[in-house]
Amino acid sequence: MSATTTAAPTPAVAPPGARAPRARRRRSGPNAGGTPLVYLAALVVAAMTLGPVLYAVLGGFRSNAQLANDPVALPDPWVLSNYTDVLQSSQFWQLALNSSVIALVTTAIVSVFGVMAAYPLARYAFKGRDALFMVFTLGLLFPLTVAIIPLFLMVRDLNLSNTFWGVALPQAAFALPMTVVILRPFLRALPKELEEAAMLDGTSRVGFFWRILLPLSGPALVTVGVLAFVGSWNAYLLPLLVLNDPAAQTLPLGVATFSSEHAQDTAGVLAFTSLAMIPALVFFLAMQKRIVNGLQGAVKG
Amino acid sequence: MTARQGAGAGSTSTGSTTASTSTSTADRAARPAAVPAGGRRRRAPLTSRWRTRLEIAFFVTPALALLALFVVVPVLQAGHYSLYKWNGLGPMDNFVGLANYVQALGDDVFTGALRHNLTIIVLSIVVQLPLGLAIALLLNRNMWGRTALRVIIFVPYVLAEVVAGVVWFMLLQPGGVVDALFAAVGLERYTQLWLGNPDVALYTVMFVLTWKYLGLAVILFLAGLQGVPPDLHEAAQIDGASWWQVQRKITVPLLGPTIRTWGFLSMIGSLQLFDMVWILTKGGPANSTMTMATYLISRGTERSQYGYGSAVAVLLFAFSLVLALLYQLFILRRDNSDGAHTPSSEKVKR
């Protein structure tokens, strides 16, 4: 997509310095640059998308009186107390900590177990391999919703209610099928010669896994890990049932609770909600390429 | 959940290479044993076979155990529970057969919930598909700020549904921003209880869902557009086709497989819908936004009807499975039969 200049009809004669920008502007292909109408549409899309997020962030800087007087104005004056109140409450930090721990544990389990399972499925030849892989793909068929009641009871009976294991283990289990399905083709695509060379040098297959395959599958593991992390960070249904104790709850639960308990304090709720967005947004901006590539790759197969 | 089904479909296509790789792996395993390389590397075939089995077991067991304990067992239990009247405490001894299923299918709230799920599927296709397509085509142009816009459109998808739901709850409340915006453009008389009017609430929820999930559609379509060869566009242009004609006759048909994959993901997601509805309306007012999943949670856990809730869960699964199979049979099959990624001339003409 970046090699737009080659498509222009005249670039070969033009001096190199002037070529790129002019060719780009002149290009009149079906995907040519924007007309004012296109930019207007883009602007509307951007405003519609970001509007609610900006409203929440800016609304957190207003007082309830300001919000009641005019729902859409800018903060005047800017009120910092909503945000500082949240940031000084131990509750918010507790929720953020719980979310982080659960998401990290989930991600670790999914990545480690996932790559371990994908390795023999990708690079060993054995009877029943396809059947074994089928078990994982069939796992894709079962959404959490279907199993939620028995899961909730099982977690209770295992005394895992209000613990991060009670959320992380089921979440990891439900994320595993997709992880294996994404990782297997990747591991399979690593060149055979690497494995042969490692074997000739006396490495066992287990050694090959630890010393060569694992470091090489970094990019795939990051993709899988990011998907698991975001999924866990945003999860609601399972934590809702498993974590009743306010001290054990995650950020989404905290946001829901806070917004219903402080329903009259709109500005406070907006500040709380905005702060709860920040980790996901920062994480997304940092990992943006990976998340998008992961999704696109998963769909393309 | 979103990307998984597509990945599953893709994996079947790699299945054809299995045979060739497996034989070569066997060669590789045999070679070091055949060469008398001395010392530890020389293994008797029998021990090496056991060793291989042990290795496989070592690698696969943790994942399998987790899958069995937290996915397979609960799913089977759901089927088991569904045959009993049980409140989760005490022994499960009140076997009622299929009575829970009969009760659910005869309950107006459940059938209404099913209807709402189906409405949301249809509305996704009617609203999100054209909108997502339009934005993807827009973002595929060589315009200034395109990359930023791609990031922006994906932001709602990254936010937790709960977070997005709370913000929209605020925006939609009486005297909130949505009402203010309606008033500002002179449509004041149309303002109402967006989430409190049973005739409107489902469409309000649908609007918020569109806001939340449009980015996913756009990103997927953009990925599909990368696979559309630019020379096709140029050729069409030389033949004098307009932008609109090029998009309609070439780009969109070639995007078919991506669109059908998105449709599948969207359908499965619509059937599982819970978080957003729970935050915005809890299924109300007057059950007008009840989905199968919110029904399941409200009956199953809030009222401790675990047997009945499990029957609802099994029904939810059954409907998902049937729709998924029908979709596979009638819609996705086209992609498997005519080579999804090769732009055949037949496709271009269509």
Side-chain angles (χ1 to χ4, degrees):
Chain A
M1 274 290 120
S2 57
T4 49
T5 47
T6 51
T10 53
V13 246
R19 194 169 96 189
R22 272 177 62 207
R24 183 184 275 249
R25 203 158 298 156
R26 262 208 229 138
R27 190 188 139 103
S28 59
N31 297 321
T35 61
L37 203 66
V38 168
Y39 281 113
L40 185 69
L43 210 62
V44 170
V45 169
M48 283 290 291
T49 310
L50 278 189
V53 178
L54 287 178
Y55 162 77
V57 174
L58 290 175
F61 285 109
R62 305 174 72 197
S63 67
N64 283 315
Q66 289 183 31
L67 281 165
N69 279 341
D70 184 354
V72 280
L74 283 171
D76 178 35
W78 289 65
V79 180
L80 295 177
S81 61
N82 297 315
Y83 282 107
T84 50
D85 285 353
V86 175
L87 289 174
Q88 280 164 11
S89 74
S90 58
Q91 187 204 2
F92 178 82
W93 294 107
Q94 182 68 52
L95 294 168
L97 181 71
N98 294 338
S99 275
S100 311
V101 171
I102 289 176
L104 285 175
V105 172
T106 307
T107 307
I109 298 174
V110 168
S111 314
V112 173
F113 286 13
V115 75
M116 281 174 69
Y119 176 51
L121 289 172
R123 305 196 72 95
Y124 279 55
F126 61 93
K127 217 190 274 173
R129 183 178 66 172
D130 290 342
L132 196 59
F133 184 63
M134 187 62 100
V135 170
F136 284 100
T137 38
L138 282 179
L140 292 171
L141 279 176
F142 299 101
L144 181 70
T145 331
V146 173
I148 193 69
I149 288 178
L151 256 181
F152 158 66
L153 295 170
M154 177 193 276
V155 167
R156 190 189 69 185
D157 294 343
L158 291 172
N159 283 323
L160 292 176
S161 299
N162 294 316
T163 66
F164 54 78
W165 292 113
V167 177
L169 287 174
Q171 262 173 13
F174 275 90
L176 260 178
M178 186 180 60
T179 309
V180 171
V181 166
I182 292 180
L183 282 179
R184 189 171 95 130
F186 183 89
L187 298 189
R188 187 180 274 237
L190 292 178
K192 261 188 306 196
E193 288 75 13
L194 270 178
E195 196 168 344
E196 278 163 11
M199 299 264 175
L200 282 178
D201 289 344
T203 314
S204 69
R205 277 170 159 182
V206 182
F208 172 75
F209 174 78
W210 287 113
R211 287 188 220 147
I212 295 164
L213 184 124
L214 219 47
L216 280 179
S217 39
L221 279 177
V222 173
T223 301
V224 166
V226 165
L227 290 175
F229 189 93
V230 172
S232 171
W233 186 272
N234 288 343
Y236 181 55
L237 179 55
L238 186 70
L240 177 70
L241 297 187
V242 171
L243 308 172
N244 305 307
D245 180 1
Q249 290 186 340
T250 57
L251 265 176
L253 288 173
V255 167
T257 314
F258 191 92
S259 69
S260 54
E261 278 175 3
H262 300 75
Q264 301 309 312
D265 180 13
T266 310
V269 172
L270 289 176
F272 194 100
T273 311
S274 301
L275 286 172
M277 286 178 191
I278 290 177
L281 284 182
V282 168
F283 190 72
F284 165 61
L285 289 177
M287 294 289 185
Q288 189 239 116
K289 284 229 165 69
R290 294 239 167 256
I291 297 180
V292 171
N293 289 347
L295 284 169
Q296 294 179 340
V299 167
K300 275 186 284 185
Chain B
M1 130 291 128
T2 42
R4 49 153 82 147
Q5 300 295 348
S11 68
T12 49
S13 65
T14 56
S16 55
T17 56
T18 310
S20 59
T21 5
S22 59
T23 48
S24 61
T25 327
D27 290 346
R28 233 179 300 147
R31 214 176 300 143
V35 178
R40 299 176 44 82
R41 246 197 297 136
R42 190 180 171 192
R43 295 182 297 242
L46 197 68
T47 21
S48 95
R49 199 182 301 152
W50 274 105
R51 197 197 143 94
T52 306
R53 284 180 188 166
L54 262 177
E55 285 173 13
I56 294 168
F58 165 76
F59 281 121
V60 174
T61 305
L64 268 188
L66 201 65
L67 202 66
L69 184 60
F70 290 105
V71 179
V72 178
V73 168
V75 165
L76 294 177
Q77 274 178 326
H80 185 207
Y81 292 174
S82 71
L83 305 173
Y84 292 80
K85 276 244 177 307
W86 188 43
N87 65 3
L89 302 164
M92 188 170 64
D93 51 11
N94 189 1
F95 182 82
V96 295
L98 297 178
N100 286 326
Y101 292 92
V102 174
Q103 188 190 337
L105 289 171
D107 181 6
D108 289 345
V109 182
F110 176 76
T111 48
L114 174 60
R115 206 166 49 242
H116 299 150
N117 280 116
L118 296 177
T119 308
I120 287 167
I121 293 177
V122 172
L123 284 179
S124 307
I125 292 168
V126 174
V127 178
Q128 288 181 14
L129 174 59
L131 214 55
L133 211 51
I135 296 174
L137 293 179
L138 181 84
L139 289 181
N140 204 37
R141 297 172 75 101
N142 256 315
M143 57 188 283
W144 184 85
R146 180 173 70 167
T147 317
L149 205 52
R150 283 185 192 198
V151 174
I152 287 172
I153 192 105
F154 205 59
V155 162
Y157 183 72
V158 182
L159 297 179
E161 276 197 35
V162 174
V163 167
V166 167
V167 171
W168 274 103
F169 187 85
M170 298 282 172
L171 290 166
L172 290 162
Q173 64 191 341
V177 173
V178 174
D179 284 359
L181 288 178
F182 266 67
V185 292
L187 295 171
E188 206 159 1
R189 65 207 149 104
Y190 292 109
T191 59
Q192 56 188 299
L193 296 174
W194 297 109
L195 294 166
N197 179 350
D199 297 331
V200 177
L202 187 66
Y203 301 101
T204 309
V205 171
M206 190 58 217
F207 175 83
V208 178
L209 286 171
T210 304
W211 176 82
K212 178 85 171 63
Y213 287 101
L214 200 58
L216 180 68
V218 171
I219 291 295
L220 296 182
F221 295 161
L222 279 173
L225 284 172
Q226 309 246 299
V228 177
D231 24 329
L232 273 179
H233 282 166
E234 273 151 34
Q237 245 202 317
I238 290 166
D239 290 347
S242 70
W243 183 84
W244 176 241
Q245 281 174 321
V246 172
Q247 305 305 326
R248 197 163 55 93
K249 299 250 167 81
I250 298 177
T251 315
V252 174
L254 282 175
L255 214 48
T258 314
I259 292 173
R260 290 191 277 276
T261 305
W262 168 83
F264 190 80
L265 299 177
S266 169
M267 185 182 82
I268 296 297
S270 302
L271 286 169
Q272 313 295 339
L273 195 62
F274 174 79
D275 297 11
M276 186 64 85
V277 178
W278 201 248
I279 292 297
L280 287 177
T281 63
K282 286 223 171 191
N287 297 320
S288 62
T289 59
M290 192 66 85
T291 65
M292 286 191 283
T294 59
Y295 183 76
L296 159 65
I297 296 302
S298 70
R299 293 303 184 280
T301 64
E302 294 211 322
R303 297 191 195 170
S304 294
Q305 299 172 348
Y306 293 115
Y308 183 61
S310 297
V312 173
V314 173
L315 285 173
L316 166 63
F317 174 64
F319 284 120
S320 311
L321 195 64
V322 167
L323 277 186
L325 287 176
L326 288 177
Y327 197 87
Q328 181 74 36
L329 204 61
F330 290 108
I331 296 176
L332 285 182
R333 204 178 51 164
R334 302 171 52 162
D335 299 333
N336 301 337
S337 57
D338 65 7
H341 296 293
T342 48
S344 66
S345 56
E346 182 254 333
K347 258 185 164 171
V348 176
K349 262 182 257 158
R350 214 191 316 123

